[in-house]
Amino acid sequence: AQSVTQLDSHVSVSEGTPVLLRCNYSSSYSPSLFWYVQHPNKGLQLLLKYTSAATLVKGINGFEAEFKKSETSFHLTKPSAHMSDAAEYFCVVTGTYKYIFGTGTRLKVLA
Amino acid sequence: SAVISQKPSRDICQRGTSLTIQCQVDSQVTMMFWYRQQPGQSLTLIATANQGSEATYESGFVIDKFPISRPNLTFSTLTVSNMSPEDSSIYLCSVGTGTGQETQYFGPGTRLLVL
């Protein structure tokens, strides 16, 4: 069975400092993995996806994630946080014809 | 990517009533999904809707409470029936190609408050 764990429910960073949002997954086969962002009162926007091509995946707005099979991780990073990055972030692993969502990480960016 | 719209964007309803949420896509898609996001929570899949067949419901969700229609490849509705305050949530639809590993694109959501 597939599962996904987001290790931090809340992360606070100062503007201009790096962002690290952690995600671990479990899957009985090679999964696809995604990161989505949800801004307040908005729908979900796709940040990036891993589908068994390059292990380092670049997404929108300067975000990237690295797929590490040995660590079963897919952490999301950004070199320099911006105030507009404050939002809820969801890590997703594909199950059998459906998504398995993590519990979400709320990112707070301090001025 | 697909462009998805939902109606209504938000509503306030009285307990015991029903609300039908519409999801419209700008292109033909194989699979449409309905999710619930309770306050401060992650997304939970309610059901998968394929055109021309009955929706497939996840554990804990039943057709009598959440009837779904999928009359064509660009449209679906979700009805929340006999509502109670516990149904207050954001309801989101998404679309996918049906391969199981594909990207899903989400609508903006319908914010429902039941009094």
Side-chain angles (χ1 to χ4, degrees), chain A residues 12-82:
Chain A
S12 291
V13 300
S14 297
E15 189 175 23
T17 65
V19 176
L20 171 64
L21 305 182
R22 298 183 295 166
C23 173
N24 284 103
Y25 71 93
S26 174
S27 179
S28 54
Y29 54 85
S30 295
S32 292
L33 292 154
F34 305 82
W35 277 99
Y36 284 84
V37 61
Q38 186 178 35
H39 290 278
N41 299 313
K42 300 287 187 181
L44 272 72
Q45 181 183 21
L46 177 67
L47 277 178
L48 51 81
K49 62 180 178 180
Y50 167 77
T51 54
S52 74
T55 56
L56 182 62
V57 182
K58 294 187 183 297
I60 62 171
N61 300 333
F63 284 95
E64 63 180 38
E66 186 171 7
F67 175 75
K68 292 187 176 180
K69 186 175 181 179
S70 60
E71 300 176 10
T72 61
S73 69
F74 190 58
H75 301 334
L76 182 70
T77 61
K78 183 173 181 178
S80 176
H82 191 273

Side-chain angles (χ1 to χ4, degrees), chain B residues 73-96:
Chain B
L73 292 173
T74 63
F75 187 78
S76 178
T77 67
L78 169 76
T79 298
V80 186
S81 303
N82 188 24
M83 288 184 286
S84 67
E86 292 71 36
D87 294 319
S88 298
S89 296
I90 302 172
Y91 292 86
L92 300 103
C93 70
S94 72
V95 302

Side-chain angles (χ1 to χ4, degrees), chain B residues 48-109:
Chain B
T48 302
N50 293 332
Q51 193 266 336
S53 63
E54 294 288 325
T56 302
Y57 289 83
E58 296 298 302
S59 176
F61 297 96
V62 295
I63 188 171
D64 290 345
K65 176 67 174 177
F66 297 102
I68 289 171
S69 76
R70 180 81 199 274
N72 57 52
L73 292 173
T74 63
F75 187 78
S76 178
T77 67
L78 169 76
T79 298
V80 186
S81 303
N82 188 24
M83 288 184 286
S84 67
E86 292 71 36
D87 294 319
S88 298
S89 296
I90 302 172
Y91 292 86
L92 300 103
C93 70
S94 72
V95 302
T97 59
T99 65
Q101 302 284 311
E102 81 287 7
T103 302
Q104 289 185 27
Y105 296 97
F106 287 81

Side-chain angles (χ1 to χ4, degrees), chain B residues 26-46:
Chain B
D26 68 342
S27 59
Q28 293 184 340
V29 292
T30 305
M31 300 181 77
M32 297 181 79
F33 305 86
W34 286 98
Y35 291 85
R36 181 176 72 182
Q37 186 179 24
Q38 294 177 300
Q41 304 294 315
S42 186
L43 279 76
T44 301
L45 181 64
I46 297 171

Side-chain angles (χ1 to χ4, degrees), chain A residues 85-97:
Chain A
D85 294 328
E88 188 87 16
Y89 292 78
F90 293 98
C91 183
V92 176
V93 65
T94 49
T96 306
Y97 296 103

